[in-house]
Amino acid sequence: MSDTLSVPRTVAIDLPAYAKLVYRYGRPVVLVVALLMSIPGEIHLAEVAGWEHVNLFGLWSVNVAWGMPVCVSVYAACSAVIADVSKRHGLPNRKSAMFGAYAALALALSAQDVSHWIKADYMGTSWILVGAVSSIPPLVAFHMLHMAAAPETTETVVEIEEPEDAFEDDDDVTEGKSRKRGKPGRPGLDLAEVEAAVEKLNAAGEKVTPENLGQVLNRSARTARRYLSALKRQEMAEEKTAEHSAAGTLQLSL
């Protein structure tokens, strides 16, 4: 079967009003304030390393030191999000993303510490410090370009094991009403019947969807979706069995 369908699962959590406010508005406020507080130290560190006003195209003067907060704090925030998305969806660059997130955090912490140490006269500048700060923009640019190689979509298909009684039909459950406890539904169909219905749809040139399959089977779309998921798992199991058999035959022939 060519169509692969995922079975979504969602959980609703009823949070208190204050928790909803914190969850929705508190986090972005804290993030913005933290980034604003990081700006002075990172600009100062850039100026210590020698970044200053430059004349762009002979039109206006720009203080490029203001770009350091983007290369440090904003980069750390972006790396954290990229690492989280890469880990959740199993993207190929997830290890590099995790490394970049931790490195960005260490970079942001170090930049703040060194800047304030210099301002408080606990330490002075040196050629090592200037070289380290000067290397930040190209390293950040390199890593962000590497992250740009990630796939544009993060859509994944997850196979969910359904319990045996999940295929008991629930067509007699109406909207807003649940079936009485203990009352069984209609008996489930055999997968051979589902395969026959799929072949019937293919022969008619119709797309295999839960809605179309439900009409052929005289079942709800929800029930048809479960049957499609079970059918897909059966096909995957048969493919694995065939591969193992072929590998065993090859070994015997050798």
Side-chain angles (χ1 to χ4, degrees), residues 137-184:
L139 290 176
V140 170
F142 169 79
H143 188 248
M144 294 307 292
L145 287 175
H146 178 68
M147 291 296 98
E152 296 181 358
T153 177
T154 57
E155 181 180 358
T156 56
V157 176
V158 179
E159 293 291 338
I160 299 178
E161 293 293 335
E162 296 281 359
E164 291 297 330
D165 58 351
F167 295 97
E168 185 179 272
D169 294 331
D170 53 2
D171 297 281
D172 52 347
V173 180
T174 59
E175 184 177 357
K177 298 181 180 180
S178 59
R179 190 167 48 212
K180 292 182 179 180
R181 186 181 301 274
K183 182 181 178 180

Side-chain angles (χ1 to χ4, degrees), residues 8-248:
R9 292 290 184 268
T10 58
V11 179
I13 302 176
D14 188 15
L15 296 175
Y18 69 89
K20 293 180 180 178
L21 290 175
V22 171
Y23 194 82
R24 178 172 299 179
Y25 302 109
R27 294 180 302 167
V29 169
V30 171
L31 175 61
V32 170
V33 172
L35 291 176
L36 289 175
M37 293 183 66
S38 302
I39 289 176
E42 291 160 2
I43 292 177
H44 171 252
L45 197 62
E47 292 174 344
V48 169
W51 275 293
E52 54 188 14
H53 287 79
V54 296
N55 196 355
L56 292 181
F57 311 109
L59 299 177
W60 62 85
S61 179
V62 177
N63 186 5
V64 293
W66 282 81
M68 187 58 71
V70 178
C71 293
V72 179
S73 293
V74 177
Y75 165 64
C78 293
S79 297
V81 174
I82 294 174
D84 180 69
V85 172
S86 300
K87 183 178 179 180
R88 288 175 182 269
H89 297 279
L91 300 182
N93 63 348
R94 57 185 179 276
K95 292 183 178 179
S96 176
M98 291 297 297
F99 173 80
Y102 287 118
L105 178 60
L107 177 63
L109 292 174
S110 301
Q112 293 300 316
D113 290 341
V114 172
S115 174
H116 287 85
W117 286 339
I118 294 176
K119 287 183 177 180
D121 293 330
Y122 288 117
M123 66 175 292
T125 185
S126 66
W127 68 269
I128 297 178
L129 176 62
V130 173
V133 176
S134 300
S135 65
I136 292 176
L139 290 176
V140 170
F142 169 79
H143 188 248
M144 294 307 292
L145 287 175
H146 178 68
M147 291 296 98
E152 296 181 358
T153 177
T154 57
E155 181 180 358
T156 56
V157 176
V158 179
E159 293 291 338
I160 299 178
E161 293 293 335
E162 296 281 359
E164 291 297 330
D165 58 351
F167 295 97
E168 185 179 272
D169 294 331
D170 53 2
D171 297 281
D172 52 347
V173 180
T174 59
E175 184 177 357
K177 298 181 180 180
S178 59
R179 190 167 48 212
K180 292 182 179 180
R181 186 181 301 274
K183 182 181 178 180
R186 288 185 290 180
L189 298 175
D190 188 83
L191 287 183
E193 298 177 80
V194 180
E195 291 179 349
V198 171
E199 292 177 358
K200 184 177 180 180
L201 287 174
N202 290 330
E206 298 184 11
K207 190 175 182 180
V208 180
T209 63
E211 291 75 15
N212 291 340
L213 183 62
Q215 292 179 0
V216 176
L217 296 175
N218 194 24
R219 298 293 190 273
S220 67
R222 178 182 175 186
T223 301
R225 184 179 291 106
R226 292 173 178 170
Y227 283 124
L228 284 174
S229 180
L231 194 61
K232 181 62 179 178
R233 288 198 298 272
Q234 176 179 282
E235 291 178 356
M236 294 174 64
E238 291 176 352
E239 290 177 359
K240 290 182 179 179
T241 302
E243 291 176 358
H244 292 161
S245 300

